[in-house]
Amino acid sequence: FFAGMPRPLAAHIARRVRDRLHSLAYRSRDLARGYWRLISYHIWRSGPVRRVRDEAGGILLVAVAWLLRLSGNPHRWIFQHLNRGRALRLECPTPPPHSNGVELFRQTRAVWEGERLEDFARRSDARWILWLERPDSPVDYHDLLPALANPGAFAASPQVHFRGWKAALLASAPFRALDPGEATAVLAPLAHAILVDRARLLALGVPRCGLAGAAWMLLFWKAAAAGWRSYSVGRPLPPAEQPDLPLHETAVFLRVAGDRRLRPLAPRDPHLVRGNIAFSPALQGHSRSTGTRPTVLLVSPFLPYPLSHGGAVRIYNLCRALAGRVDFILAAMRESHEAVDYPRLHEVFRQVYVVDRDEAPSPDRRLPDQVRQYQSLALRALIAELADRSQPDALQIEYTHMAGFRDAAPQVPAVLVEHDLTFSLFRQLAERCPADRSARREYQRWLAFEQHWLKEFDAVWTVSEEDRRAAIGVADRNPERTYTIANGVDLDRFRPSPQEGRASPEILYVGSFRHLPNLLGFEKLRAEIMPRLWRLFPDVRLRVVAGPEHDRFWRQFALSSSRAPVDRRIVVHGFVEDLRPLYARATVAAVPLEVSAGTNIKVMEAMASGRPVVTTPVGCAGLDLEDGRDAFIRAEAADFADALAELLSDSRLRRAMAAQARRTVEERFGWRAIGETAYRSYLALAGPMQTAP
């Protein structure tokens, strides 16, 4: 065909034919690929293939989870080291004002319906979506809305589990059982119902996953990386202990490890979302700062209310005396047995945050034992966040063993409240037992710790002039920034009352056994003083208020030789919220302390209640009481017993001493006057500021 043609023409025709054949080949291949993709897509999405695929994936997931569990769950450690702390930056549309509508989304299948949820969210214009795990799940979201009023809230769910000390890939339940209405930020609060911000859900992207729990874990993980918080809210039904979630954890680990976009992400505030910082959303927003009063961030190792011991009495009453002129923000650690009375706390504190200890003690043996027990990364992170968010004028840290938290907010002027100079207490304990090397070492640790931190605070409060001079001397402090803010007594609450008519007299001793000096005082009273008194007054009764868990502390601290059965004439109470009825029954109050530091509020409360007091020089140290006028002050057990006997036998002497004791506390120990001194120290610390009328 090409033989008789000119050579250029033949080449041109050959190229055209070749190009046409190549074009047909490419089109045929593309058409075949398209048909194959169409057919394979429908096959892959068909019911039988999906069932086989899901079952195979489930079997593989179970196998991997089983292997990881047999290996000691190494994926938890690997997961933490995968995340390099990168934040997730997302553009989230601002919801329209007053947009609080809620729409319900009910799961219809046992598996995660991510596509349907995403389509539902795109078609909705509500502010929140309530996701329900089952079609028959109850609908009750009103208790969740107050928690979502916090800026940056992503989701909230009712508490169904508590985690305790159980390890997990992600914190998915609060540390403890919350009270109804109490809330806490949790990294991944899994529950049967979750109220979620619709716009932020779409901004994160709904994951495709077979397990609903794993899908929500991924969403919560990304939300925390974006800086959004999720909350668990207490409900009336008691929660159960959190079960293990090996399949969900394995699915999340494999998804994050296999996605280079997810691997670097990490929560912005990991220590604030462990589920151990609780608050009351309904009360937290009611009281706002006026902007004309100083703001004080107060950090306490326990709840100031209920008034279960002298430290709580001081903090609560002093802050209550100043509440009209100072905005207080409370960050308090919670003891395991304590119940949180948010309404009473919010009467004094504008904001209240309660931190549970969920960490093992610090292994640093250079620190005193009590300091090691109170290490808390969550509390440290909370102080830093509150200091940044609320811009307080002062950071007030209660008690020496909490002094290390000062560096959590170095930019804020700080005051350390020395309820007692702790090194002096441990020096007394070491001197009691010179052969006890451990007591001597603990004293040396306290001395070094206290000397260091006394220098790091802008101001220091002590409870007596004697303690003030000691603090200035031991740390070379500035005397002008070292204040005496004395302990006091609520004169309106504790008033003299006529003694209830009783056939036998009664001695009252108040002192929580958790504080070793109180337990030592009880042992002296029980073993040395009361036997002498019973020889003269065999019917006299000793009533003891020993505080919460007194049996445990007695077993822990008391010497083995002193664990004798308690005499039937000794009545021991645990925590007593209102001591006034016991003071009304008492004939005399006894405070036989052999070692102590600071000043004892129990002495002032007994004096304010119109009861004569017999104490030791140590028991009334720093109060400047006059022996024989304000109280009987006796050091030796025999003299102490004689003073009790003299008061029991002379009603005129009891009345005279009780009247003088009341006059003394009215003149010197009222909280109102003490609060004025504290307020002036705030102004000196933070500088002059406009105050509310």
Side-chain angles (χ1 to χ4, degrees):
F1 177 74
F2 294 103
M5 288 185 183
R7 192 174 185 86
L9 180 61
H12 173 71
I13 295 174
R15 283 196 302 270
R16 293 289 302 272
V17 171
R18 184 190 61 191
D19 292 343
R20 181 61 60 88
L21 292 175
H22 284 177
S23 176
L24 289 173
Y26 285 131
R27 290 180 181 177
S28 301
R29 186 178 62 183
D30 292 343
L31 190 60
R33 280 182 183 172
Y35 279 122
W36 171 248
R37 287 181 180 177
L38 181 63
I39 295 171
S40 62
Y41 173 80
H42 284 288
I43 293 174
W44 186 252
R45 300 278 295 180
S46 64
V49 173
R50 289 180 64 177
R51 283 194 294 272
V52 171
R53 186 184 62 193
D54 291 344
E55 290 178 6
I59 293 171
L60 180 62
L61 187 63
V62 169
V64 174
W66 182 73
L67 289 174
L68 289 173
R69 193 163 188 174
L70 286 181
S71 305
N73 296 310
H75 61 300
R76 293 173 180 169
W77 179 86
I78 297 171
F79 186 79
Q80 293 178 358
H81 287 75
L82 281 175
N83 316 125
R84 295 190 290 272
R86 184 182 300 172
L88 181 62
R89 304 192 181 280
L90 294 173
E91 291 293 334
C92 180
T94 303
H98 309 296
S99 174
N100 290 314
V102 177
E103 285 201 35
L104 273 61
F105 176 87
R106 297 179 184 271
Q107 285 267 131
T108 59
R109 301 170 56 202
V111 297
W112 172 247
E113 297 180 309
E115 293 180 7
R116 194 167 73 89
L117 175 60
E118 182 173 359
D119 182 64
F120 179 85
R122 293 191 184 282
R123 287 186 288 104
S124 172
D125 59 356
R127 172 72 187 278
W128 311 101
I129 291 178
L130 180 63
W131 175 86
L132 299 172
E133 185 178 25
R134 297 182 298 272
D136 57 345
S137 296
V139 179
D140 186 9
Y141 59 84
H142 295 91
D143 292 340
L144 307 178
L145 290 173
L148 293 173
N150 289 280
F154 171 65
S157 64
Q159 182 186 15
V160 293
H161 298 111
F162 68 92
R163 67 176 175 87
W165 294 89
K166 179 175 290 187
L169 186 74
L170 303 178
S172 56
F175 177 73
R176 61 173 170 89
L178 301 174
D179 293 330
E182 191 178 17
T184 180
V186 182
L187 180 58
L190 299 180
H192 63 272
I194 299 174
L195 188 62
V196 62
D197 186 296
R198 183 186 65 85
R200 288 177 174 156
L201 174 68
L202 291 174
L204 292 174
V206 181
R208 303 298 186 258
C209 186
L211 297 172
W216 276 114
M217 282 184 173
L218 288 168
L219 282 169
F220 287 133
W221 174 257
K222 294 171 68 176
W228 302 333
R229 300 276 174 84
S230 302
Y231 299 92
S232 184
V233 181
R235 57 178 187 161
L237 296 176
E241 185 176 358
Q242 182 184 20
D244 292 328
L245 302 170
L247 295 181
H248 300 79
E249 289 188 358
T250 304
V252 172
F253 171 72
L254 294 177
R255 176 66 67 88
V256 173
D259 191 334
R260 59 185 177 83
R261 296 171 299 176
L262 295 178
R263 279 198 301 270
L265 299 181
R268 295 191 185 181
D269 307 302
H271 299 302
L272 297 177
V273 291
R274 295 213 304 259
N276 67 328
I277 302 175
F279 62 99
S280 174
L283 298 175
Q284 200 83 309
H286 283 182
S287 175
R288 300 297 182 188
S289 174
T290 62
T292 60
R293 302 184 297 196
T295 299
V296 176
L297 171 55
L298 190 146
V299 180
S300 171
F302 48 75
L303 294 172
Y305 194 90
L307 308 178
S308 55
H309 47 79
V313 170
R314 173 191 168 89
I315 296 172
Y316 186 82
N317 283 288
L318 184 55
C319 292
R320 186 176 65 170
L322 291 167
R325 295 189 287 173
V326 178
D327 287 329
F328 286 106
I329 301 173
L330 175 66
M333 302 188 85
R334 173 186 170 274
E335 302 290 338
S336 58
H337 61 274
E338 287 182 317
V340 188
D341 191 339
Y342 284 104
R344 291 300 296 267
L345 289 171
H346 276 282
E347 291 176 3
V348 175
F349 303 97
R350 179 163 57 87
Q351 297 177 34
V352 176
Y353 298 91
V354 180
V355 182
D356 285 277
R357 282 184 285 171
D358 65 342
E359 301 173 40
S362 168
D364 188 353
R365 291 290 175 178
R366 295 172 298 176
L367 299 174
D369 287 341
Q370 193 175 17
V371 176
R372 294 192 301 111
Q373 295 289 334
Y374 279 85
Q375 297 300 298
S376 172
L377 293 173
L379 179 58
R380 187 174 295 277
L382 176 63
I383 294 171
E385 184 191 48
L386 292 175
D388 181 64
R389 187 176 71 202
S390 301
Q391 298 292 309
D393 299 291
L395 169 66
Q396 179 172 327
I397 295 184
E398 303 281 342
Y399 282 89
T400 314
H401 59 274
M402 303 291 285
F405 290 100
R406 192 269 174 273
D407 57 16
Q411 76 279 14
V412 182
V415 54
L416 174 64
V417 182
E418 289 271 25
H419 290 244
D420 50 49
L421 291 178
T422 314
F423 77 87
S424 68
L425 174 62
F426 280 86
R427 181 181 61 203
Q428 296 173 55
L429 294 173
E431 290 171 351
R432 272 176 58 93
C433 305
D436 189 349
R437 294 183 179 179
S438 63
R440 188 72 184 176
R441 286 194 297 269
E442 188 69 1
Y443 160 63
Q444 295 293 344
R445 285 193 286 262
W446 269 114
L447 180 61
F449 180 84
E450 208 154 359
Q451 281 178 328
H452 169 75
W453 284 107
L454 280 171
K455 299 175 183 177
E456 299 297 318
F457 282 80
D458 303 277
V460 169
W461 290 0
T462 62
V463 298
S464 68
E465 187 61 28
E466 180 183 349
D467 282 0
R468 177 179 177 271
R469 291 192 297 268
I472 294 171
V474 76
D476 194 24
R477 279 199 53 81
N478 179 3
E480 295 182 358
R481 287 299 180 95
T482 308
Y483 305 90
T484 298
I485 311 295
N487 283 327
V489 62
D490 188 343
L491 297 174
D492 294 328
R493 186 166 186 260
F494 291 95
R495 290 182 173 276
S497 59
Q499 184 182 359
E500 295 181 359
R502 296 184 56 81
S504 58
E506 192 166 288
I507 308 295
L508 178 62
Y509 174 63
V510 178
S512 173
F513 283 5
R514 67 176 294 162
H515 189 45
L516 181 57
N518 290 330
L519 181 55
L520 296 176
F522 168 72
E523 290 295 339
K524 178 180 180 179
L525 187 60
R526 180 187 68 86
E528 301 179 42
I529 297 172
M530 291 307 297
R532 289 182 169 89
L533 189 62
W534 279 326
R535 293 172 194 155
L536 301 174
F537 298 90
D539 295 333
V540 69
R541 177 177 295 180
L542 173 62
R543 190 174 298 275
V544 180
V545 180
E549 301 183 283
H550 59 278
D551 287 334
R552 178 171 71 87
F553 291 113
W554 191 37
R555 290 192 302 269
Q556 179 179 348
F557 292 130
L559 299 174
S560 58
S561 59
S562 67
R563 294 176 189 165
V566 177
D567 190 282
R568 61 178 179 81
R569 290 166 291 189
I570 299 177
V571 180
V572 181
H573 299 267
F575 167 62
V576 177
E577 185 172 357
D578 189 356
L579 291 172
R580 290 174 295 179
L582 298 186
Y583 279 120
R585 298 167 59 102
T587 310
V588 182
V591 188
L593 300 181
E594 294 182 297
V595 293
S596 185
T599 57
N600 285 292
I601 293 178
K602 60 174 73 69
V603 174
M604 291 179 275
E605 289 182 344
M607 294 170 65
S609 300
R611 292 297 173 264
V613 177
V614 182
T615 182
T616 59
V618 171
C620 63
L623 298 178
D624 296 327
L625 301 183
E626 183 179 340
D627 181 26
R629 183 172 179 268
D630 300 313
F632 280 145
I633 304 174
R634 303 289 185 268
E636 301 300 326
D639 297 336
F640 201 103
D642 290 343
L644 288 174
E646 185 177 356
L647 286 169
L648 291 178
S649 60
D650 191 340
S651 60
R652 183 176 300 177
L653 177 62
R654 290 199 305 271
R655 288 194 295 271
M657 184 171 286
Q660 178 57 43
R662 176 69 190 187
R663 285 193 293 270
T664 299
V665 295
E666 287 178 349
E667 292 170 3
R668 295 164 47 198
F669 301 128
W671 284 118
R672 190 168 301 171
I674 296 170
E676 184 64 34
T677 308
Y679 183 72
R680 288 198 299 268
S681 75
Y682 285 146
L683 298 183
L685 183 66
M689 59 187 69
Q690 182 183 2
T691 57

